[in-house]
Amino acid sequence: MLVLGIESTCDETACAVVRDGHTILSNVISSQIDLHAAFGGVVPELACRRHIDVIIPVIHQALQEAKVPLSAIDLFAVSQGPGLIGALLIGINATKALSLALKKPFVGVNHIEAHLYASIMSLASNEMPFPCLGVVLSGGHTSFLYMQSPSEYQEVAHTVDDAIGEAFDKVAKILGLSYPGGPLIEALAKNGDPTAYKFKAGRVKENPLYFSFSGLKTAVLYATQNRALTELDKFNLSAAFQEAAFDDVIQKILIASKQFHCDRIVFGGGVTNNQYLRQKIQRETPKLHCFWPPSGLSLDNAAMIAGLGYHHYLSRGSDSITLEAFTQL
Ligand code: KG4
Ligand code: ZN
């Protein structure tokens, strides 16, 4: 079954063609980083306008690279949410139009579930690591899910304020870096001393597995006030912030894995691109079996949408034309 997936939740317009939920024939991503860099974050209205400009060329390119005509597509899949409402509507309406015009089914896919599916989509069905703990570390979300299958799970924890990627982006802005800040902080941190500042992520008393990163971000802000930052200061602030954020994630993964008797951890979301995080987890939790998204599938993409869409269609059939976007998980 050939599935064409469309992704437009935030600041990437993406389209991919995937066979049978696992073989990626094309994976085209049009990033809007240039558009939002000057603002230090995504400007929703600008994002929507860019999605409208590029969505049809991106679909054409994905078909061309996959070397399949539009008429050969069996199923359309689209990111239904969570995301920016205007951005989601563009992908969803394009998908509905394709489905109606070609008289082919379509399904809506949860973007968060798809981020996790990205890490396991290349595995054979008997290698799937369920039940497992899903760890989503992205620009919009920080959550733990206890998963029985790619789309059956209970949420175990989420952030009560900033998402971890959002904290990276805000700290980058404080340090005068551009957007997205995650990769820039990771690069600066390589030259810094993680113990130079005593930063700590927040604790949520009533829910010890929940996350809070806004206090950590504010601590970095206070540490930069009333002084001119040298290069070394920026290295050390980046390293200490990154260390505190990841120490918090790792400590909570260890607690959750004990609580759920589960040593298989499936990671998803843009922050999992961070190589220091991967090495630190390998070093500090050698007993856990970790599944990471392959390169090209950790940031927002449509291959993960098409891949998971295939399974949704097999289990529950086509969605209706009244399908609506959702902005929260
Ligand atoms: O998953 P994603 O592409 O978009 C959302 O669904 O949110 O994640 C984007 C986020 C941004 O906040 C970006 O700064 C962060 O992922 N990110 C990183 C790295 N690469 C991207 N954060 C830390 N280290 C990185 N290397
Ligand atoms: Zn995402």
Side-chain angles (χ1 to χ4, degrees):
M1 179 180 262
L2 281 180
V3 186
L4 183 139
I6 292 181
E7 155 64 38
S8 69
T9 52
C10 189
D11 59 342
E12 266 92 26
T13 321
C15 181
V17 179
V18 173
R19 179 178 287 127
D20 296 337
H22 50 74
T23 307
I24 299 170
L25 304 186
S26 65
N27 186 20
V28 176
I29 302 170
S30 167
S31 167
Q32 305 182 357
I33 284 176
D34 59 318
L35 191 62
H36 304 289
F39 302 97
V42 177
V43 183
E45 182 60 27
L46 295 182
C48 294
R49 290 186 206 172
R50 179 66 73 81
H51 283 307
I52 292 172
D53 287 343
V54 305
I55 195 158
I56 291 176
V58 164
I59 293 169
H60 274 301
Q61 194 183 335
L63 288 165
Q64 224 167 40
E65 289 184 14
K67 298 190 177 60
V68 295
L70 187 55
S71 58
I73 299 297
D74 301 300
L75 171 72
F76 296 96
V78 64
S79 259
Q80 188 184 352
L84 302 172
I85 185 67
L88 288 165
L89 289 177
I90 294 157
I92 290 177
N93 285 323
T95 308
K96 287 179 177 176
L98 286 166
S99 160
L100 278 177
L102 289 141
K103 300 190 176 56
K104 296 282 173 67
F106 84 97
V107 287
V109 172
N110 181 312
H111 179 87
I112 301 298
E113 293 172 14
H115 265 306
L116 295 170
Y117 181 72
S119 293
I120 53 175
M121 72 183 281
S122 64
L123 301 179
S125 52
N126 63 351
E127 294 171 337
M128 289 283 172
F130 299 109
C132 66
L133 185 71
V135 174
V136 182
L137 304 173
S138 79
H141 299 272
T142 308
S143 6
F144 286 174
L145 312 176
Y146 181 64
M147 307 178 74
Q148 291 83 21
S149 80
S151 52
E152 282 172 284
Y153 57 85
Q154 293 79 45
E155 192 189 75
V156 172
H158 57 250
T159 174
V160 296
D161 41 55
D162 291 347
I164 186 167
E166 187 182 356
F168 269 86
D169 295 336
K170 287 178 176 170
V171 165
K173 199 171 176 182
I174 292 167
L175 298 183
L177 310 171
S178 69
Y179 173 85
L184 304 172
I185 299 268
E186 180 182 5
L188 293 190
K190 283 191 182 132
N191 305 309
D193 171 7
T195 64
Y197 297 85
K198 295 271 162 287
F199 293 142
K200 238 180 168 353
R203 288 186 53 205
V204 182
K205 251 198 205 146
E206 336 53 272
N207 289 302
L209 286 176
Y210 281 30
F211 295 95
S212 169
F213 292 110
S214 78
L216 173 58
K217 166 199 69 192
T218 309
V220 177
L221 176 67
Y222 287 158
T224 62
Q225 275 173 344
N226 305 321
R227 64 191 182 112
L229 296 180
T230 63
E231 278 305 288
L232 181 62
D233 291 332
K234 290 187 186 182
F235 295 158
N236 287 342
L237 286 161
S238 297
F241 159 75
Q242 178 175 260
E243 197 72 20
F246 291 160
D247 274 342
D248 185 57
V249 171
I250 293 174
Q251 191 200 344
K252 286 171 181 162
I253 288 175
L254 285 170
I255 298 172
S257 98
K258 260 199 197 135
Q259 195 170 319
F260 290 88
H261 307 289
C262 184
D263 62 358
R264 293 175 298 272
I265 317 289
V266 174
F267 288 89
V271 178
T272 65
N273 232 2
N274 189 300
Q275 297 305 310
Y276 181 74
L277 169 68
R278 295 190 186 204
Q279 287 153 11
K280 185 171 164 70
I281 288 191
Q282 210 166 16
R283 204 171 48 239
E284 295 180 12
T285 67
K287 290 199 175 129
L288 297 180
H289 295 287
C290 296
F291 298 81
W292 297 98
S295 79
L297 296 189
S298 56
L299 296 171
D300 286 351
N301 68 86
M304 65 185 190
I305 305 298
L308 187 54
Y310 166 81
H311 293 280
H312 282 354
Y313 182 69
L314 292 190
S315 63
R316 60 168 208 236
S318 182
D319 276 323
S320 113
I321 199 71
T322 57
L323 177 102
E324 286 184 4
F326 60 89
T327 53
Q328 310 266 342
L329 188 63

